[in-house]
Amino acid sequence: MNPNITQALLQRGLEVIDAVDIVEGARIIKSDDEIACIRWACAVAEHGIARIQESMGPGVTEVQLWGNLNYTNLANQGGWHEGRMLASGPRINPWLQEATQRVIEEEDLVGFDTDMVGPFGYFCDVSRTFYYGKD
């Protein structure tokens, strides 16, 4: 919490402790409902990943591929993405570049990271690299 809140609590005679270990310990305990939500978020991500792979073709841009992931997430009651991490060809390295209007070319690698807040606010972070071209 903000330091001014800590100061206000201390001034009122309350003890302030670091609760990170307590909170993190509680967060690892998952109910059946939470596990179902995690599975749903992962299934939505996998569906979006499949749509990216299916959509690779002549004239398709990085942004169009990434848009398939975003659309899939939103259409399945998901939330938002931490970024638009998708790069291809010479842009794949260094990593962590956001999608651009670059057209995917024959024999490109296409790398991406879902970084998505899926249904019910559950995060799913999956990275994949696909090869676009002749086998």
Side-chain angles (χ1 to χ4, degrees), residues 6 8 29 39 43 49 58 89 110 115 129:
T6 302
I29 301 167
R39 286 188 174 137
I49 290 167
V110 177
D115 268 347
T129 302

Side-chain angles (χ1 to χ4, degrees), residues 5-17:
I5 296 173
T6 302
Q7 293 291 331
L9 292 171
L10 291 171
Q11 289 172 358
R12 286 174 175 74
L14 297 172
E15 180 183 5
V16 178
I17 63 168

Side-chain angles (χ1 to χ4, degrees), residues 60-68 84 86 99-102:
V60 175
T61 67
E62 293 174 349
V63 170
Q64 288 172 319
L65 289 180
W66 185 87
N68 286 320
R84 300 184 318 171
L86 187 145
T100 67
Q101 292 298 331
R102 181 183 184 277

Side-chain angles (χ1 to χ4, degrees), residues 26-74:
R27 287 179 67 190
I28 65 172
I29 301 167
K30 302 292 181 213
S31 69
D32 290 341
D33 287 341
E34 286 178 295
I35 292 169
C37 288
I38 292 166
R39 286 188 174 137
W40 186 4
C42 291
V44 170
E46 288 172 359
H47 183 56
I49 290 167
R51 293 208 50 212
I52 286 175
Q53 190 170 27
E54 293 162 2
S55 300
M56 286 194 294
V60 175
T61 67
E62 293 174 349
V63 170
Q64 288 172 319
L65 289 180
W66 185 87
N68 286 320
L69 175 65
N70 186 46
Y71 174 81
T72 301
N73 189 28
L74 294 174

